[in-house]
Amino acid sequence: MGSSRVPRSAVSRRRFLAGLGVVAATPVVWDPVRAGAQQRAQLAAVTDATGTTLEFSITKPAGTGYVRLVEAAPYPQLVREELAAAQSGRDGRRVGLASIVHLTDVHLVDAQSPSRVEFVDRLASPVGGGFRPQEAMCTQVGSAMVQRINTVATGPVTGRAFDVAVSTGDNIDNQQRNELDWFVQMLDGGTIVPDSGLIGTYEGVQDDDVGLGYYNNYWHPDAPPGSNPADSYKVGFGFPELPGLLGAAIASHDSPGLGIPWYSSYGNHDGLLQGNAPGELPGSAPFDLISTGTVKVTGVGTSFDPSDAQSTITSALDPAAISSGGALFRTVTADESRAAATVEDWIRRHLDSPASPGPVGHGYSEDMIASRRLYYTFPVSESVLGISMDTVNHGGYAEGSLGDAQLAWIEQQLTSNPDRLVVLFSHHNLFTLENPFPDPFDPGEARRGFDVLREMLTRFPNVIAWVNGHSHVNRITPVADPSGQTGGFWEISTAAHIDWPEQARLIEIADNRDGTLSIFGTLIEHASPASVELTNPSAATPTQLASLSRELAANEPQVDVNALGEPGARNVELLIGSPFDVTPGPSPTPTTDPGEGGPSGGGGSLPATGGTGGIVAGTILGAAAAGALALRRRTEVDPS
C-alpha cells in the first residue's frame, strides 16, 4: 500500500495545534442528487413502528428566541437505489438476517472536571466551542435511550429481535476513568452517580456563586448572583431560569441496562484528552495533575493563546498566575477518579463487566492489553459478521486513520469469511479518516486514509455496510466500486447523543430473495417527552432531565442545523446486490418495478495519508484547548 509522507518540517507545532479538529480535505463521494439517483417515499411493510420515528418525531418549530420542542409527523421511509434496483414484491419475500442498535457519540462527560476547557468560549463571540448547556444531563439521556431500546426490542420492519447493540466511539468525553465507569454502567444497568469531587455539591462552571469563578458566558440555571449580569444564554438566547437544576443533574439515578449483547468501538474522546491530545505519553503527567486537582479555570482573558501549551499548564496549576493574567478560577474538590483512562483501563473495565448480557469483554480480551490492539470481529447474527475497527490516532488530533497492521488484519478477516455478510463499525467516517500523524507506540508504521480502506473493501462483495459516527450528523453515503467488479457498500453515519437531535439508529438487514438485500435504517428518540414543565427543577426526574437536555441542545447557539440530516439520511431502505445466496431455497425470478432506476456509477477518494509528526511532551493541555475551539465546528463538507 502506497503512502505520501509528510516531512517533519512541513507540520509546525503551531500549525498542528491550530488545525486540531478541522476537516482538512474535501472528499469526493458519490452524490445521489448529482448522480440522478431516485429516493422514493415508499413505506415497506412495517411490523411495528411503535417507539420509532416511523410513529412520530420530535422537532423544533420555527420561532425566535428559546423555542419549546413538540411532537411531529413521522419521518418518511425513503427507498434508495444508488447501488441496486428495487424489485417488486420484495415485502412478501423478505427474510430478516440481522437487527442492530447503533449508538454513537454518547459523550458521557464529567462536567465538573478541572481539565474541561470551557474557558475557550471567551475567545469567541457570543459563545465558543468548549461548553454545552446540556452536558450535565448526559447520563440521563443515555439511560433514557437504553430504556427506549428495551421498549422497542425488535426491528420495526422485519420484527427480528435485536441481535446486538454497538456504540461506535466517543462513548466518553474527556478520557476519564469515572466517565468510563458511567458508560459501562449505563449499558450494563444499575445505579449511576454522575457526580465527582465533593459528591452532592456541583462544582462546575454553571454555578451561581460569584465567589466561585462566576462567569456570565455560560448558562447558569439559577438566578444571577447579586449585581452580577445575567448570563449571555438568558439575555441573548432566552434560556430559562431553573433554580436547583444542577443538584438534580448530579443526583444518582438508575439505568435499566441493555438486555442484549453490546459492543463498543474506540473513539478519539475515549482515547485522547479532550478528544485531541494523547494522555499516555511521557509529558502527559501535568494533565492528570490538573484533572485530579483542585483548580478549575472558568474564564480567561482575550489575550490567552490556547496553542501556548506551557503557559496553559502553568496557569492551570498556579492560581496566582491565573489571577495575574486576568483569568477566573474556582477551587474544587480533588478526585483521583478523573485520571486519564489508559488503553489497559479501557479493556479491563470492559472485561470486568458482567457476563450477562455479555459477551465477556464486549469484544476486548486480555491479550489486547499488551498489543494495544483495539479492533476485533464479533458475530452480529448467523449470517452477518461484525468488524470493529480502531480508527483513533493515538498520537493526537481529532480525526482518524488506520495503520498497516490493522488493514492487513481486516483483509485477512474478509478473506477468511467469504460466505458471510460483513458490516464494519468504527468511530471515524469517510470524511474524517485522514490523520497522517504516527502512532507514538509504533512510530514506524504508516497511517492510511479512506482511499486505501475503500480500495480494499470494494474488492470484497460481501462487505455491505460501514457504520460510524464522529461528525454528529445523520448521513448515508453510497460508496461504489470504481472498477464495477462489486456492488460497493453503504456508509451509515448517525448523529450524537450529546448534541441535537440526540438520536440512535436501528439497522435491519434483510434478504429480499430476488438477488438484492435491503438495509433498513430507522431513527429512534430517547424515552422522554418532547417538552416538560419543571415547576420544581431541584426535584426533576431523570426522564425530565433527558427531555430538557434535548431541548437545550436544540436551542444551543452553536446547534448544527444540518445534524438531523436530509430525509434520505433518516429513515431509509438501502438496496444493495446480494453477493451470494444468503438464504438457501428457491428464489422467484427478479422483476423490476416500472420506472424504478438501477445503480449508477461514480465515486472518488481521499488522498493517501502517512508520514511523521506528533505532539511533543508538554503540549497536552494546549492541544486540548485548541482542539476544543474547532471541535464543535466540525460541520461536514456538503458533497454536493
Side-chain angles (χ1 to χ4, degrees):
M1 286 174 264
S3 67
S4 57
R5 289 198 169 269
V6 181
R8 184 179 297 273
S9 60
V11 184
S12 70
R13 172 174 166 270
R14 290 187 67 87
R15 283 182 60 199
F16 177 94
L17 294 173
L20 287 179
V22 178
V23 176
T26 302
V28 180
V29 297
W30 188 4
D31 175 25
V33 176
R34 199 163 50 229
Q38 297 182 10
Q39 293 183 8
R40 299 180 295 106
Q42 177 185 310
L43 191 65
V46 175
T47 301
D48 187 357
T50 305
T52 76
T53 55
L54 291 170
E55 180 188 25
F56 70 93
S57 65
I58 293 177
T59 191
K60 179 185 177 184
T64 58
Y66 187 91
V67 178
R68 307 299 299 272
L69 304 187
V70 297
E71 281 195 15
Y75 302 141
Q77 183 189 76
L78 298 186
V79 180
R80 296 190 54 173
E81 303 176 74
E82 294 95 314
L83 296 181
Q87 308 298 319
S88 61
R90 62 191 182 280
D91 284 354
R93 298 187 299 269
R94 186 169 290 133
V95 177
L97 302 176
S99 188
I100 305 165
V101 178
H102 180 214
L103 313 170
T104 194
D105 296 273
V106 179
H107 281 275
L108 296 188
V109 51
D110 178 0
Q112 302 174 79
S113 173
S115 58
R116 298 278 298 151
V117 292
E118 303 98 336
F119 54 82
V120 298
D121 274 10
R122 181 68 177 89
L123 309 180
S125 179
V127 290
F131 168 76
R132 297 179 180 91
Q134 70 272 15
E135 284 178 331
M137 289 161 276
C138 58
T139 60
Q140 290 86 354
V141 169
S143 297
M145 187 62 79
V146 170
Q147 181 181 344
R148 175 69 75 194
I149 293 165
N150 291 345
T151 301
V152 174
T154 63
V157 178
T158 65
R160 182 183 175 106
F162 296 144
D163 293 290
V164 297
V166 185
S167 187
T168 56
D170 283 7
N171 308 287
I172 62 178
D173 186 79
N174 198 33
Q175 198 195 356
Q176 292 184 187
R177 293 174 186 166
N178 59 343
E179 295 172 340
L180 175 56
D181 284 339
W182 299 344
F183 169 68
V184 175
Q185 196 72 61
M186 179 190 83
L187 297 184
D188 280 345
T191 300
I192 300 173
V193 182
D195 197 0
S196 61
L198 181 60
I199 300 301
T201 301
Y202 177 83
E203 297 180 309
V205 299
Q206 293 179 268
D207 200 291
D208 66 341
D209 191 332
V210 68
L212 296 175
Y214 177 87
Y215 186 40
N216 69 341
N217 218 51
Y218 312 119
W219 176 56
H220 298 267
D222 293 295
S227 60
N228 284 274
D231 64 67
S232 59
Y233 278 81
K234 293 174 184 172
V235 174
F237 307 106
F239 270 54
E241 191 169 286
L242 299 171
L245 179 73
L246 295 173
I250 62 174
S252 63
H253 63 91
D254 291 335
S255 170
L258 291 174
I260 56 175
W262 63 265
Y263 299 87
S264 73
S265 300
Y266 209 51
N268 55 297
H269 278 261
D270 300 320
L272 297 169
L273 304 170
Q274 288 287 294
N276 286 275
E280 294 188 65
L281 301 180
S284 63
F287 199 97
D288 259 2
L289 292 177
I290 297 169
S291 297
T292 63
T294 61
V295 177
K296 181 173 178 61
V297 178
T298 60
V300 294
T302 54
S303 61
F304 170 78
D305 181 359
S307 69
D308 187 344
Q310 191 56 52
S311 66
T312 302
I313 291 175
T314 300
S315 296
L317 292 174
D318 183 359
I322 297 173
S323 299
S324 64
L328 297 172
F329 70 95
R330 63 170 297 164
T331 299
V332 300
T333 304
D335 191 337
E336 290 298 319
S337 74
R338 292 171 173 154
T342 65
V343 165
E344 180 173 355
D345 291 330
W346 181 266
I347 294 171
R348 290 202 182 281
R349 186 62 184 88
H350 282 74
L351 288 169
D352 289 342
S353 174
S356 179
V360 173
H362 303 285
Y364 301 101
S365 58
E366 186 80 25
D367 64 309
M368 292 181 179
I369 295 173
S371 67
R372 295 179 60 85
R373 194 190 86 182
L374 294 170
Y375 44 89
Y376 56 88
T377 63
F378 62 98
V380 173
S381 67
E382 303 88 342
S383 307
V384 181
L385 177 71
I387 297 180
S388 178
M389 302 185 289
D390 174 16
T391 56
V392 176
N393 191 304
H394 295 256
Y397 183 55
E399 313 306 3
S401 55
L402 293 162
D404 282 345
Q406 184 176 177
L407 285 165
W409 174 86
I410 294 170
E411 185 165 20
Q412 180 185 33
Q413 304 311 307
L414 295 175
T415 302
S416 303
N417 291 277
D419 57 347
R420 300 182 75 181
L421 300 175
V422 174
V423 177
L424 294 103
F425 299 85
S426 71
H427 181 61
H428 295 89
N429 52 62
L430 64 85
F431 284 88
T432 57
L433 207 62
E434 58 177 8
N435 187 341
F437 295 96
D439 184 339
F441 294 92
D442 191 2
E445 182 184 48
R447 305 292 296 185
R448 312 291 181 176
F450 170 62
D451 63 328
V452 176
L453 179 63
R454 177 192 182 192
E455 188 280 328
M456 178 206 298
L457 297 182
T458 52
R459 289 190 284 109
F460 293 90
N462 56 330
V463 173
I464 61 171
W466 173 20
V467 179
N468 53 47
H470 185 64
S471 295
H472 296 205
V473 297
N474 289 316
R475 188 188 65 240
I476 295 177
T477 306
V479 181
D481 176 5
S483 72
Q485 299 301 303
T486 68
F489 59 88
W490 288 96
E491 189 212 33
I492 302 171
S493 297
T494 303
H497 281 41
I498 192 66
D499 289 318
W500 168 258
E502 297 189 358
Q503 293 172 333
R505 195 189 299 268
L506 310 178
I507 299 172
E508 300 170 82
I509 301 170
D511 183 2
N512 293 322
R513 306 297 288 118
D514 58 12
T516 68
L517 305 173
S518 287
I519 304 173
F520 293 96
T522 305
L523 295 174
I524 57 173
E525 311 276 5
H526 51 74
S528 66
S531 189
V532 293
E533 293 293 337
L534 294 179
T535 56
N536 183 9
S538 62
T541 67
T543 299
Q544 290 175 323
L545 293 171
S547 175
L548 177 63
S549 172
R550 185 199 290 118
E551 188 168 277
L552 294 172
N555 284 277
E556 208 252 336
Q558 295 183 101
V559 63
D560 181 356
V561 295
N562 298 313
L564 184 58
E566 296 296 322
R570 301 178 201 171
N571 294 341
V572 293
E573 179 185 0
L574 311 174
L575 275 297
I576 191 169
S578 182
F580 45 76
D581 190 4
V582 182
T583 310
S587 301
T589 302
T591 58
T592 303
D593 285 338
E596 292 186 356
S600 55
S605 64
L606 292 175
T609 59
T612 59
I615 298 180
V616 297
T619 68
I620 307 304
L621 186 55
L629 285 173
L631 181 63
R632 302 290 306 288
R633 307 186 183 112
R634 200 170 48 222
T635 303
E636 288 304 306
V637 178
D638 184 349
S640 62

